[in-house]
Amino acid sequence: MPGTYRPYRSFFHHLLGPVAIQTSASNPLKWLTPVVVLGGIVATALISFLNVAATGYELVSTSSSDPNAVEANIGARASCDPTNIQLQSTIYTDKRAFPYTLSQAWQLGDDGSRLHQGSLIYKRSPVQNCNITLIDIQFEGPDRTARQLESFTMGGTVTATTECYIDEGSPSRRTYFELLSTYDAFPPLNVALPTFPNLNKTRDLSQYWGSSILNMYWATVMQTFFDANVGASDPFFKGVIDMKLNTNLSGTIEDQVSNIEFLRVRNCFFIPLNSTGIHSITTLASSTTAFERPVPAIWLSVAVLAKAMWFSVLGDLARPELLANLSSNMTQANQTLRSEFRFSVDHSDIFRQSFDSSQPQDAQLRVNQSILAADYLCQVPRLKSPGNLILSVLVADLVILQTIWKVFGLVEARCCTACTPNPVGEGAPIMYESIDGQESETILLHERSPSQKITRSP
């Protein structure tokens, strides 16, 4: 019968409703089933891949000494919190030379005044513009422990006070802090953190030289102080010397270091009661013993010990000229040390002769910018266990695919208006075959007024 057609029925006809109506033209929906199947497979694979990245990982806490490397290597999802270094905490730099005590932390207010903080918030920023404000040398006699006195009749400590800052991108975010570092060639056993714990001649030659000069001249100063007091009628058994940078010197840093007055004596105090108002090392060293000129024999060695501490803390012993100047008398000092003051020298792996720049070295002298050594709490992504991973991806896939399926149905339903039949002539009967197995029926479509009804004939 003219106008009678058998329509193609898509596997997804139940989604499309009136799309089953066919025209005399070739059916435009024969591609629907393979397109939907292929599109579903591709969409499922793509969505699963994206969901593995989005939901397949969980954040776990871990500790790291290098947060910048963690965040750079693992990606944007990894994050590390700044560490909070409390005042009076003891820390190292990455050079592992001196244990430092954080004594102060502050920022500058708008008027330039110090705004002190209770801790230093730090995240592996380079330590900048360090300046030593004070060198403190203490002589200790009977107050030292029995084990220390067994090895050294006289001992003491050398302490450097250093001010630095960290800059978080701009001067307004600059935080200043003060560090105290102490050297004792033979510290008491209860000292938790040693000096130069990872000394290595090949890895860090400048620090190795710093340790050698400090060790040698510490023993030399203590021996000289002991010798100057052992036969005195009223010997000194304790003392403290504070030294600061002499800002009146001119010339290059090498010229200044070669000057005996590189550091000046800020104050000096010995027990039994004795003090001095003389600030010149030369004057103190060349004077005869008097109330304001105590122990003249120690001052030349004290000057070298203080300078060695100064440049060891700053890590500046990579300059051959400075190193040659500071170690110029090491060979002689080693030869003049007696057995009772050689314990730290003989039991340490150090240089015992002056630096000679013409001789080949085990490693290159160098200076690297320091950072504070600390541990940081980091959140890093870790792939979930297989069971949790499959469940997470499956749930996420179902949610997204269900949404896509509903959107697809709505779009196709709206597009189906283009597939409705267009009769050839007015009143031409067209027969449609039921898709669901119902009996066929002919629907006569005529121009009709709204009051007219559709006539159906079997």
Side-chain angles (χ1 to χ4, degrees), residues 66-375:
D66 191 350
N68 298 337
V70 171
E71 294 175 343
N73 295 334
I74 299 181
R77 295 187 63 186
S79 63
C80 297
D81 297 327
T83 189
N84 199 339
I85 305 176
Q86 299 295 325
L87 296 184
Q88 304 307 315
S89 298
T90 303
I91 54 177
Y92 283 102
T93 67
D94 58 334
K95 306 299 184 297
R96 301 287 178 177
F98 294 93
Y100 294 93
T101 300
L102 178 65
S103 56
Q104 295 186 69
W106 70 91
Q107 292 181 333
L108 296 180
D110 296 336
D111 58 352
S113 60
R114 290 187 177 187
L115 304 177
H116 288 274
Q117 301 176 330
S119 62
L120 176 64
I121 299 176
Y122 181 74
K123 190 176 180 180
R124 204 173 172 80
S125 301
V127 178
Q128 303 184 46
N129 199 32
C130 289
N131 178 42
I132 295 180
T133 59
L134 183 68
I135 297 290
D136 176 274
I137 301 177
Q138 298 221 20
F139 298 92
E140 301 171 354
D143 290 341
R144 291 170 70 82
T145 65
R147 185 174 296 278
Q148 288 176 300
L149 292 174
E150 176 190 12
S151 302
F152 293 96
T153 309
M154 176 61 64
T157 59
V158 186
T159 301
T161 302
T162 310
E163 290 184 0
C164 308
Y165 69 76
I166 52 175
D167 197 345
E168 300 294 340
S170 65
S172 61
R173 301 178 61 188
R174 186 172 293 173
T175 302
Y176 298 84
F177 54 94
E178 182 182 82
L179 299 173
L180 303 179
S181 52
T182 299
Y183 177 81
D184 187 344
F186 195 78
L189 295 178
N190 59 357
V191 174
L193 299 177
T195 305
F196 300 104
N198 299 322
L199 202 59
N200 188 291
K201 179 187 306 186
T202 303
R203 184 180 61 246
D204 198 344
L205 186 59
S206 62
Q207 292 291 350
Y208 194 89
W209 270 106
S211 171
S212 301
I213 297 173
L214 281 172
N215 197 325
M216 186 69 67
Y217 280 96
W218 182 93
T220 299
V221 168
M222 299 308 160
Q223 176 178 276
T224 306
F225 185 86
F226 175 81
D227 292 345
N229 285 277
V230 68
S233 57
D234 195 8
F236 301 123
F237 58 88
K238 291 181 73 72
V240 58
I241 302 172
D242 290 338
M243 307 182 74
K244 299 189 69 173
L245 180 66
N246 188 351
T247 57
N248 297 323
L249 299 181
S250 59
T252 64
I253 185 64
E254 288 79 9
D255 295 335
Q256 295 179 30
V257 171
S258 62
N259 194 325
I260 193 64
E261 302 293 340
F262 176 74
L263 297 173
R264 61 191 296 269
V265 178
R266 190 181 73 167
N267 57 60
C268 173
F269 185 81
F270 289 97
I271 297 176
L273 182 60
N274 192 305
S275 62
T276 181
I278 300 174
H279 305 297
S280 169
I281 296 289
T282 304
T283 303
L284 290 168
S286 60
S287 302
T288 57
T289 303
F291 182 77
E292 289 191 350
R293 295 171 175 82
V295 202
I298 69 171
W299 293 104
L300 295 180
S301 298
V302 163
V304 177
L305 177 61
K307 285 191 286 187
M309 185 67 176
W310 182 286
F311 289 105
S312 294
V313 170
L314 293 182
D316 210 8
L317 288 178
R319 305 184 188 183
E321 298 83 2
L322 297 182
L323 190 54
N325 178 273
L326 292 174
S327 65
S328 59
N329 294 323
M330 275 188 64
T331 303
Q332 180 183 357
N334 181 53
Q335 294 172 353
T336 56
L337 280 178
R338 300 191 303 273
S339 59
E340 60 266 33
F341 287 93
R342 294 192 60 87
F343 183 86
S344 62
V345 173
D346 292 341
H347 291 78
S348 301
D349 182 17
I350 63 172
F351 290 118
R352 296 175 177 83
Q353 72 284 338
S354 302
F355 175 77
D356 186 357
S357 58
S358 64
Q359 297 297 321
Q361 302 296 321
D362 296 333
Q364 183 181 2
L365 292 167
R366 64 183 185 275
V367 175
N368 298 323
Q369 195 169 22
S370 295
I371 57 174
L372 300 180
D375 290 327

Side-chain angles (χ1 to χ4, degrees), residues 7-24:
Y8 169 77
R9 182 163 56 184
S10 168
F11 181 79
F12 303 98
H13 67 274
H14 59 281
L15 287 178
L16 309 178
V19 81
I21 301 175
Q22 308 298 317
T23 67
S24 59

